[in-house]
Amino acid sequence: MSILEIYNQGVREVYERQKARAGGTWHSHITLVDAAGVGQPVVLVQDDADHVTEGYSVQKLAVATAVMDKVDRGELSLGRKLDLRADLILGGTGSYHLHTVWGDEITVANVLTAMLLVSDNTAVRMCGRVVPAQEINEILAAKGFAHTRVEPVADPARFFLGDTTPRETHDLLWRLATRTLLTPASCDFLLGILRATGGYHDGVRRNMSSRERARVATKPGQDHNTLGASRHEAGIMFGADGAPALIYALFAEGLGDRDNYGATHPAVEAHAVLGRAMFDAVHSR
């Protein structure tokens, strides 16, 4: 058995054990890039990867992609300033709602950083002011995504985060990692935020050193619906040489422990165990 086959088998076995332990219904896509970086990634896990599901905050990756696409076309600047109005403030995750006073002028770059680093919900509304829902969906369609969409509402600047699939989220991340989703500079900007060690650590990055965490770009998405709790996480692991080495898109729904958004949720604990196994498969790259 080759080293690659051993890694494949090891990650698959850890995935199946953790999936069974956490319960719920999982839809996932995990691939390993060969050491030479040639060709398409090798599939490690393909578990109902085309299932259309609510992406929750993982969808903020798609929103950020649409904003940066508009920047790339010269129709928007990262330096453009927007006023942080009180009527836009949305609670939950993030930091803008903690200010207690509002009215700041903040750049689009600031908004995207808050949205991806600390999953700020108000930042989504700020993005809608510069790229309305319909335009976001048109950009995503033009990039070849058939199911990844936000859900428009009556106000064109507002939307729900909508649906995606594990495969499409994986493909978005693969193209981001290979700097083909957007211009190289725009890809690097988003990756720099997603890899920042001030971001999310409860899941895939939990059992890692700070140096190891800096080699992982990740975005969680957590909420609940009539099926139960959903705990998602998607991202990219990089080799020591800076090249993408592994892509993961983990979507789990119908879970218990609905109101636990912390590190002790069974699915988040599963992400942590799986994260260590995935990183061990690429740590020497």
Side-chain angles (χ1 to χ4, degrees):
M1 183 179 290
S2 69
I3 293 295
L4 182 60
E5 289 171 328
I6 292 171
Y7 286 153
N8 289 2
Q9 181 175 318
V11 171
R12 278 196 296 265
E13 289 176 351
V14 173
Y15 173 82
E16 292 298 339
R17 285 198 303 270
Q18 293 305 312
K19 171 185 170 181
R21 177 180 173 276
T25 304
W26 289 57
H27 319 283
S28 303
H29 197 49
I30 306 172
T31 64
L32 183 68
V33 184
D34 68 57
V38 178
Q40 290 297 307
V42 176
V43 174
L44 300 184
V45 173
Q46 187 167 247
D47 186 0
D48 201 14
D50 295 310
H51 177 78
V52 178
T53 187
E54 292 180 89
Y56 298 119
S57 287
V58 172
Q59 291 288 86
K60 292 171 183 175
L61 293 169
V63 175
T65 295
V67 173
M68 293 308 299
D69 182 83
K70 198 163 183 176
V71 170
D72 287 346
R73 287 183 280 116
E75 298 178 10
L76 181 65
S77 166
L78 284 176
R80 176 175 169 181
K81 292 184 177 180
L82 304 170
D83 56 326
L84 185 62
R85 304 194 313 259
D87 64 294
L88 294 172
I89 300 302
L90 187 62
T93 56
S95 60
Y96 291 150
H97 69 285
L98 301 174
H99 291 192
T100 71
V101 294
W102 298 282
D104 293 353
E105 286 196 338
I106 56 177
T107 63
V108 170
N110 183 312
V111 168
L112 291 173
T113 301
M115 184 172 70
L116 296 180
L117 188 67
V118 293
S119 206
D120 196 291
N121 289 328
T122 300
V124 177
R125 291 182 170 181
M126 297 289 279
C127 287
R129 294 172 64 187
V130 293
V131 191
Q134 186 58 40
E135 187 176 2
I136 291 174
N137 286 340
E138 289 170 357
I139 290 169
L140 294 172
K143 290 187 177 296
F145 300 110
H147 301 290
T148 304
R149 298 286 187 273
V150 298
E151 182 183 340
V153 295
D155 183 341
R158 297 280 182 92
F159 51 85
F160 294 112
L161 285 168
D163 296 336
T164 189
T165 72
R167 192 184 308 278
E168 288 196 0
T169 297
H170 168 281
D171 290 349
L172 184 154
L173 289 164
W174 170 241
R175 291 161 63 184
L176 185 64
T178 55
R179 303 168 85 209
T180 58
L181 180 69
L182 301 157
T183 63
S186 291
C187 290
D188 289 344
F189 172 72
L190 296 183
L191 287 170
I193 300 169
L194 294 167
R195 292 179 68 169
T197 54
Y200 178 73
H201 296 141
D202 282 353
V204 164
R205 296 201 288 189
R206 188 193 314 180
N207 299 320
M208 297 181 188
S209 69
S210 56
R211 181 173 296 180
E212 290 171 336
R213 286 174 173 177
R215 285 173 51 182
V216 181
T218 200
K219 184 71 192 73
Q222 306 184 55
D223 211 322
H224 64 268
N225 56 26
T226 56
L227 298 175
S230 293
R231 299 292 181 268
H232 309 327
E233 190 169 355
I236 309 157
M237 293 185 175
F238 293 86
D241 61 358
L246 185 146
I247 317 292
Y248 58 92
L250 310 170
F251 291 80
E253 59 189 3
L255 299 160
D257 210 4
R258 192 191 75 171
D259 296 322
N260 180 5
Y261 290 91
T264 60
H265 189 282
V268 178
E269 290 185 324
H271 292 165
V273 174
L274 184 56
R276 185 70 249 178
M278 293 189 296
F279 193 85
D280 287 344
V282 302
H283 80 280
S284 61
R285 296 276 288 276

